[in-house]
Amino acid sequence: MKIGVVCYPTYGGSGVLATELGLGLARKGHEVHFITYRRPARLGGFQANVFYHEVDSGSDYPLFEFAPYETSLASKLVDVIENYGIDLLHVHYAVPHASVAYMARKILISRGKYVPFVTTLHGTDITLVGTNPAFAPTITFAINKSDGVTAVSESLRKDTLANFDICNPIEVIYNFIDFKRFHRDNKDHFKAAIAPNGERILIHVSNFRPVKRVDDVIYIFKIVNDEIPSKLLLIGDGPERSRCEELSRKLGLSQDIRFLGKQDAVEELLAVSDLFLLPSASESFGLAALEAMACQVPVISSNVGGIPEVNIDGETGYLSGIGMVDKMAEDALKILKDDKILGRFRAAALAQAARFDIEEIIPKYEAYYQEVIDRTTIKPEEPVFDC
Ligand code: GMT
């Protein structure tokens, strides 16, 4: 199959997932074309079957205060689809990729070719950005016009149906993990550099947006650290970072909290950690938590969105309401105080992560693509689920 992939090329979960999926499909012999405004963060170097096409937003024209990314992307899609004979386009994150894909499909129909597109909903495209009245009608329309729609959790599927007037079926295909990359590694020298006196290592990975509640991470750590010697690794960057650095200084934690910024090899840090913190206000799935669990790191999280589908309360970690910092810290201490308990949670986290093995999930996408292609080949002039 020749597959076009559109995503945000940044460190955000949707871009990470889209890139890993594309690379996984390429390893299985599909030809995969990434069409993005920058090389996706996890794409790496040259690989057979993997193509990268950069979208030029034409931003240097003085009249444009806002670069017309959508128009450039639609034109690039038409170009790549026509010239490389793409069979199916997969767009990640509905805003604005679903409506751009719809535009590209319309242009291609006018040229006598029907190429279906699948939209994958990732989270904030529905829960935060999508519900904004500035976007909602366009998103509703584009989701309904997609030839296939997937959501990364059951919770996100329900949220989409609750927030938008959707008449298209939504297939849940969970996010996945590649165990070749994410696994526990006893890098003792590495651990010793972070925690020289055998302290427990807590970790949080995110894009430091307000929705991640990184200040809760710091408050939880403060309570834990007061009771057992520990270190906190904060991975990633974003708008809340400097405020959080200030907070950690104010709480006298500068020596125990390390802000490491964006990291390419996050698995190496997860592999030496003891506990992952994810107190988000909204989370459709929590890919970062799954990556931790694959490295046998239990998770203390909020109970919002799709997180309970990933982190099982009392087994792989603990769940609490948003902002329940004291309870989260208490739960963290329950796990960290005793090696035997920590070992039990580690094993359960790994077992649960195995349910999301890339080897199980990629075939689900392949089957879904085939179903969409078969369905739209029968009736090429308009999508079957048009309404
Ligand atoms: O919010 C982020 O961390 C980035 C965002 C994205 O779309 O890039 O992540 C969303 O998609 C991820 C991959 O499907 C999910 O694991 C995250 O839970 C989801 N984030 C939210 O819903 C806040």
Side-chain angles (χ1 to χ4, degrees), residues 337-354:
K337 267 183 169 172
D338 184 319
D339 278 341
K340 258 201 205 131
I341 295 176
L342 175 58
R344 212 176 62 221
F345 274 86
R346 279 195 195 287
L350 177 62
Q352 166 70 353

Side-chain angles (χ1 to χ4, degrees), residues 138-363:
T138 311
I139 301 201
T140 308
F141 179 83
I143 292 174
N144 282 330
K145 292 292 182 184
S146 301
D147 298 286
V149 185
T150 74
V152 299
S153 65
E154 186 55 43
S155 147
L156 184 60
R157 190 184 78 84
K158 287 188 183 138
D159 280 348
T160 310
L161 297 176
N163 290 328
F164 301 91
D165 191 10
I166 299 300
C167 54
N168 222 347
I170 300 176
E171 180 91 0
V172 173
I173 303 184
Y174 282 114
N175 284 337
F176 54 78
I177 191 79
D178 184 352
F179 281 95
K180 285 194 195 80
R181 181 172 167 197
F182 290 92
H183 54 262
R184 189 132 198 104
D185 221 341
N186 282 330
K187 287 194 173 154
D188 288 342
H189 58 292
F190 202 46
K191 192 164 181 151
I194 299 166
N197 302 310
E199 295 94 337
R200 293 294 198 200
I201 302 176
L202 290 81
I203 185 166
H204 169 80
V205 184
S206 78
N207 45 23
F208 283 65
R209 286 180 300 162
V211 72
K212 300 293 177 181
R213 298 182 66 96
V214 187
D215 38 5
D216 282 4
V217 171
I218 294 171
Y219 286 122
I220 296 166
F221 176 71
K222 165 95 181 115
I223 301 172
V224 171
N225 192 41
D226 280 349
E227 210 157 311
I228 50 173
S230 35
K231 299 283 179 188
L232 173 64
L233 302 179
L234 289 172
I235 318 296
D237 215 328
E240 295 284 288
R241 177 169 165 181
S242 48
R243 213 176 52 74
C244 290
E245 289 195 53
E246 210 180 298
L247 177 65
S248 70
R249 279 193 291 270
K250 207 176 94 190
L251 295 176
L253 293 169
S254 314
Q255 295 306 311
D256 294 321
I257 299 184
R258 288 180 72 167
F259 288 81
L260 294 177
K262 287 174 185 164
Q263 293 282 329
D264 284 331
V266 69
E267 65 276 14
E268 293 182 351
L269 297 161
L270 289 170
V272 297
S273 297
D274 299 305
L275 195 69
F276 189 86
L277 303 176
L278 190 69
S280 307
S282 166
E283 203 71 67
S284 68
F285 181 88
L287 186 58
L290 177 60
E291 292 181 342
M293 287 161 63
C295 297
Q296 301 183 34
V297 182
V299 175
I300 295 294
S301 68
S302 56
N303 57 7
V304 295
I307 297 182
E309 294 169 62
V310 181
N311 185 22
I312 310 299
D313 194 34
E315 264 180 50
T316 63
Y318 286 103
L319 299 164
S320 306
I322 300 167
M324 293 178 65
V325 167
D326 290 341
K327 153 102 170 39
M328 290 182 188
E330 199 180 297
D331 289 340
L333 285 164
K334 268 191 230 165
I335 296 176
L336 292 174
K337 267 183 169 172
D338 184 319
D339 278 341
K340 258 201 205 131
I341 295 176
L342 175 58
R344 212 176 62 221
F345 274 86
R346 279 195 195 287
L350 177 62
Q352 166 70 353
R355 290 186 51 224
F356 302 92
D357 191 334
I358 189 171
E359 306 296 341
E360 307 288 325
I361 307 285
I362 287 198

Side-chain angles (χ1 to χ4, degrees), residues 1-3 21-32 48-51 87 362 366:
M1 222 180 274
K2 290 188 181 186
I3 303 152
L21 174 59
L23 293 176
L25 288 162
R27 281 196 297 274
K28 294 188 82 176
H30 300 285
E31 188 174 303
V32 180
N49 300 350
V50 177
F51 296 74
D87 301 306
I362 287 198
E366 287 175 294

Side-chain angles (χ1 to χ4, degrees), residues 96-150:
H97 298 148
S99 50
V100 173
Y102 172 75
M103 171 63 92
R105 193 183 66 196
K106 277 288 185 197
I107 296 170
L108 288 160
I109 290 172
S110 76
R111 298 181 185 207
K113 191 167 175 54
Y114 192 96
V115 176
F117 75 92
V118 169
T119 301
T120 289
L121 311 173
H122 277 274
T124 49
D125 47 351
I126 295 301
T127 53
L128 289 182
V129 182
T131 46
N132 181 337
F135 299 115
T138 311
I139 301 201
T140 308
F141 179 83
I143 292 174
N144 282 330
K145 292 292 182 184
S146 301
D147 298 286
V149 185
T150 74

